[in-house]
Amino acid sequence: MSVNSTPHASVHDTANQAGSFSFSQVKPALSFEQQVELMRSRGLAVDDVDEAIRWLSETNYYRIRGYWLTFERDGRFIQGTTLDDIRDTYRLDAGLRLWLWSAIGPIEIKARTSLAYHMGTACGPLSYTDHEYFSDRRAHDKSMQNFRMERERAMRSKVPCVIHNMRKYGCLPIWAAVEIMSMGTMSRLYGNLADSAEYPDGPTVKEAVAKDFAIKPMYLKSWLQHLTYIRNLCGHHSRIYNRTMTSRARMLRADTRHAGLKAFPTIIVLKRIYERVWPEKWPQMTATLDTLIRKYPGVDLVPLGFPEDWQQIIMEQT
């Protein structure tokens, strides 16, 4: 057996060679019992140790830790904080993620449908692949690179519409392509549309799609990109509670007072879309959200960016 004698640099070796990093030793793993004791030593009230261990074994200490940041001061829990306080915050957040996911779904599907319809009828079935119809060629190249990877995954998964079109035409018309595009790819294509993508003697494609949402293109571009970010957080079970969002939605002038980097502006964006496209659905959605929040009355809504009159704001008719 031959032995590879070539030296391999470790992470620490690489850092030392670069001369720019100094790492601390990684902490040892703790048992679930030790994790409970660590939380108790920092001032958390835990009445049922067995139940605490069970929750940690299902949820992960490091995930839970993100939910107690608002209960912590200088490395210790605020006096009187209980494990139930943290668990209620976690459960509210889980319910909110499901609510957001459910609310974004129809918007994503409508955006795919509208983009495919208007791009296909105005510019042709393969127009989405043509640089001519997009403002930033480099961004379009990146979108196409992502799309090709998505198409290959669909081929490996034997998605029927993909197999059929690839075998018959060697390509995917846009009405088939949008069915396998990620929301990110789709929203970036929309946001990159040039005025050259237009109907003969008619509106541009970006205007036609925005009209389907009864909103100006500049808002729809921002909203689709923002909702893609939120959808991905929800899809990966990432924390919404007390998160500072890295995607900021452009707000209508009437809503600028609600602008910010927490979750509430997202709900305002959803409200504005639903009241334009599916106004009959919004009252039930707000009722569902209200029921969820009432279920956990002890959870502070300020870390979500909710104002005191949040119910009135999201339920009011405009």
Side-chain angles (χ1 to χ4, degrees):
M1 179 179 67
S2 63
V3 177
N4 185 348
S5 60
T6 304
H8 297 279
S10 68
V11 173
H12 291 276
D13 293 335
T14 304
N16 291 335
Q17 290 169 13
S20 58
F21 298 102
S22 178
F23 294 108
S24 299
Q25 187 173 1
V26 176
K27 296 178 181 179
L30 299 179
S31 68
F32 295 128
E33 291 81 4
Q34 290 172 320
Q35 292 171 21
V36 173
E37 287 308 309
L38 179 60
M39 291 188 292
R40 296 178 80 174
S41 72
R42 292 175 177 172
L44 182 68
V46 180
D47 294 332
D48 190 331
V49 173
D50 289 338
E51 177 61 20
I53 291 171
R54 186 189 65 80
W55 190 39
L56 285 165
S57 71
E58 295 174 349
T59 314
N60 188 7
Y61 178 96
Y62 211 70
R63 168 179 286 270
I64 294 170
R65 190 180 187 283
Y67 293 90
W68 76 54
L69 295 176
T70 55
F71 296 99
E72 201 175 40
R73 296 290 184 275
D74 300 322
R76 290 189 59 81
F77 289 99
I78 298 170
Q79 186 174 1
T81 301
T82 69
L83 187 64
D84 284 339
D85 293 330
I86 300 169
R87 188 156 41 191
D88 283 351
T89 304
Y90 180 87
R91 288 171 173 166
L92 172 61
D93 188 65
L96 180 59
R97 286 199 307 272
L98 290 174
W99 186 89
L100 289 167
W101 177 274
S102 177
I104 293 170
I107 297 169
E108 177 183 357
I109 293 170
K110 182 175 178 62
R112 292 175 187 272
T113 303
S114 183
L115 178 64
Y117 178 79
H118 292 297
M119 197 73 184
T121 55
C123 305
L126 299 179
S127 54
Y128 71 100
T129 67
D130 193 335
H131 294 306
E132 174 188 350
Y133 297 114
F134 298 90
S135 297
D136 186 328
R137 179 166 182 157
R138 183 174 296 181
H140 181 253
D141 285 339
K142 179 63 175 176
S143 294
M144 289 297 96
Q145 180 182 347
N146 291 338
F147 170 70
R148 285 190 291 271
M149 290 189 292
E150 291 159 355
R151 186 183 62 194
E152 289 305 310
R153 283 197 294 269
M155 289 284 288
R156 290 194 298 270
S157 298
K158 302 187 186 304
V159 176
C161 75
V162 176
I163 297 296
H164 166 75
N165 281 281
M166 292 302 292
R167 286 178 177 173
K168 188 170 183 177
Y169 306 111
C171 58
L172 296 182
I174 190 167
W175 47 85
V178 295
E179 290 303 311
I180 62 164
M181 283 180 188
S182 66
M183 188 176 179
T185 298
M186 180 272 297
S187 64
R188 284 189 290 271
L189 283 176
Y190 174 76
N192 193 24
L193 282 171
D195 288 343
S196 55
E198 62 181 342
Y199 283 95
D201 302 319
T204 64
V205 171
K206 64 184 176 184
E207 290 170 339
V209 175
K211 185 178 180 181
D212 287 345
F213 284 88
I215 196 68
K216 292 180 180 179
M218 63 180 180
Y219 290 110
L220 184 60
K221 173 183 175 179
S222 173
W223 292 356
L224 289 178
Q225 291 174 348
H226 176 72
L227 293 179
T228 296
Y229 167 76
I230 298 297
R231 177 194 181 280
N232 290 341
L233 289 178
C234 295
H236 290 90
H237 314 291
S238 298
R239 176 170 49 86
I240 300 296
Y241 189 85
N242 198 34
R243 176 181 289 273
T244 300
M245 307 298 179
T246 59
S247 170
R248 186 170 187 145
R250 185 169 190 162
M251 308 300 283
L252 297 178
R253 183 175 299 177
D255 297 327
T256 53
R257 68 189 187 279
H258 304 309
L261 293 175
K262 296 297 184 179
F264 194 69
T266 303
I267 295 174
I268 295 298
V269 167
L270 291 169
K271 169 184 166 66
R272 295 309 183 195
I273 293 174
Y274 271 83
E275 68 185 5
R276 284 164 168 76
V277 183
W278 306 287
E280 73 284 356
K281 294 182 180 180
W282 187 245
Q284 180 56 50
M285 294 179 65
T286 57
T288 300
L289 180 61
D290 183 60
T291 298
L292 170 68
I293 291 174
R294 287 178 183 275
K295 188 175 180 180
Y296 304 102
V299 177
D300 186 6
L301 300 182
V302 171
L304 286 166
F306 279 46
E308 288 187 7
D309 58 343
W310 68 268
Q311 292 157 306
Q312 178 183 341
I313 292 168
I314 68 170
M315 294 178 183
E316 65 185 358
Q317 300 289 326
T318 56

